[in-house]
Amino acid sequence: MTAAETCGALPGWRFSVAPMMDWTDRHCRAFHRTLSARARLYTEMVTTGAVLHGPRDRLLGFSKQEHPVAVQLGGSDPAELAQAARIAADFGYAEINLNVGCPSGRVQDGRFGACLMREPTLVGDCVAALKAAVLVPVTVKCRIGVDDQDPEAALDALADAVVAAGVDGLIVHARKAWLKGLSPKENRDVPPLDYGRAARLKQRLGALPVAVNGGLHDLDTVRARLAEVDGAMVGRAAYTEPALLLGVDPELFGVDAPVPDAFAAVAAFEPYLAEILARGERLHAVTRHMLGLFNGRPGARAFRRHLSTHGMRPDAGLQTLRDAVAMVSREAPEAQAA
């Protein structure tokens, strides 16, 4: 049994899907759960202000089938974070994650996200407040440093502060964030990856669970990282190539996937879609997260095109999805996408 599976506070942390703004909403998570029963899923980042003053049911509501699901909070005021965490815990989330990695200008203006790498003492205070407020695990997602920081010193300082505060796990995006000169999109690709830095942190922290994020495109790269740390968090690859998740349970946890293939996944997901449509939501609100499901199969392009056009119509329903699926070949995927 792996360290990640025996880490107690974070069972099943071996594989997770990253929090991604505008992508990992409740419909996306419900779809991903159809593909993997074991992957840990994360919400989009939700700011403390939004939780405290916004429409909580819309921001934090989720279906039971999504579990295990964690909420990611953005903020830097310990008292506000504690209050937001209590609200999120009451919704039933399995983990509270603090964002110390987002590099966007809006986040910097609010004094949270990656800029907090410069304030490890404050991050420690935030974690202590979160730990005092909730019983579920509290984790931190961070970078290895920002701008001209030395990643060795910066990551150790952040880790020491949150460990002293009782953090239950660290997720390290193994790149620096350049807050000056790079856009948020560029910050996901341009700064070089340094998996070795995350591995050294794991060696230094011993029993504390450490997961790595960044540049993990398939399960082979995930397995390579799991030789060094406890968990792997996959972002864009899980979203743009969701069939990747069908391999998570059998290949990383040694259990059968919930469904045998992508076609069965669509069929299993139909009851959820029917419920959403009955509530008056548009088909596209859900199927936009499914566009990459058949990548690599003949007919995948037609599937995407059909859902992207017909799925936008006010009267689009389950038959629209079924018609799109009928355009995809059931033969084994080819090496190149259709």
Side-chain angles (χ1 to χ4, degrees):
M1 187 169 285
T2 68
E5 291 172 303
T6 59
C7 65
L10 295 168
W13 214 46
R14 184 168 171 78
F15 182 94
S16 59
V17 178
M20 292 176 281
M21 292 300 294
D22 299 321
W23 284 3
T24 51
D25 63 17
R26 61 190 302 176
H27 299 322
C28 175
R29 298 191 307 266
F31 173 53
H32 284 177
R33 181 59 69 218
T34 306
L35 302 167
S36 169
R38 294 297 187 93
R40 180 161 288 227
L41 306 179
Y42 285 76
T43 69
E44 304 168 87
M45 182 187 68
V46 188
T47 66
T48 53
V51 173
L52 299 181
H53 308 295
R56 293 174 187 171
D57 288 339
R58 181 173 65 81
L59 292 169
L60 295 175
F62 67 97
S63 59
K64 292 181 180 179
Q65 72 188 67
E66 295 174 38
H67 266 306
V69 59
V71 62
Q72 185 183 70
L73 296 178
S76 60
D77 181 283
E80 290 183 355
L81 279 165
Q83 188 178 353
R86 283 191 288 267
I87 292 168
D90 287 344
F91 269 82
Y93 285 98
E95 174 191 330
I96 307 294
N97 178 261
L98 178 62
N99 185 317
V100 187
C102 181
S104 79
R106 182 177 66 87
V107 165
Q108 293 178 58
D109 292 341
R111 197 189 175 198
F112 57 95
C115 64
L116 287 176
M117 292 295 299
R118 299 194 185 106
E119 299 186 73
T121 300
L122 175 58
V123 177
D125 292 341
C126 291
V127 169
L130 290 167
K131 288 290 294 180
V134 297
L135 297 177
V136 297
V138 172
T139 62
V140 169
K141 187 172 188 288
C142 64
R143 294 282 183 137
I144 62 174
V146 295
D147 296 336
D148 294 323
Q149 283 185 323
D150 174 3
E152 297 297 326
L155 187 56
D156 278 352
L158 188 285
D160 288 346
V162 298
V163 168
V167 78
D168 294 293
L170 275 169
I171 304 164
V172 180
H173 186 155
R175 306 179 196 267
K176 270 190 174 185
W178 287 93
L179 305 181
K180 299 178 181 179
L182 291 182
S183 69
K185 182 178 184 298
E186 291 170 328
N187 263 297
R188 293 193 294 266
D189 295 300
V190 175
L193 285 161
D194 188 353
Y195 295 129
R197 182 64 191 94
R200 291 192 296 278
L201 181 70
K202 172 58 189 175
Q203 292 171 354
R204 180 173 175 271
L205 296 181
L208 186 81
V210 174
V212 70
N213 171 233
L216 303 179
H217 303 301
D218 53 42
L219 295 186
D220 287 337
T221 57
V222 165
R223 277 189 288 267
R225 302 283 66 83
L226 289 175
E228 303 170 337
V229 295
D230 303 298
M233 175 178 274
V234 176
R236 282 167 291 166
Y239 188 87
T240 60
E241 303 282 344
L244 174 153
L245 297 175
L246 288 169
V248 167
D249 293 7
E251 295 187 38
L252 300 182
F253 293 93
V255 297
D256 290 340
V259 291
D261 58 29
F263 295 96
V266 174
F269 195 51
E270 280 198 5
Y272 178 89
L273 273 167
E275 180 181 339
I276 296 304
L277 292 168
R279 293 208 301 256
E281 293 193 55
R282 295 285 183 89
L283 182 73
H284 180 69
V286 183
T287 57
R288 71 186 183 94
H289 303 301
M290 304 172 66
L291 296 180
L293 180 61
F294 294 105
N295 287 352
R297 290 181 180 272
R301 183 178 291 114
F303 169 82
R304 294 191 297 268
R305 185 185 303 114
H306 190 83
L307 281 184
S308 296
T309 54
H310 298 275
M312 296 286 289
R313 296 177 177 175
D315 61 345
L318 290 180
Q319 191 58 48
T320 307
L321 175 60
R322 292 167 183 161
D323 290 343
V325 172
M327 300 175 180
V328 183
S329 171
R330 291 180 177 266
E331 297 177 2
E334 300 295 333
Q336 295 183 342

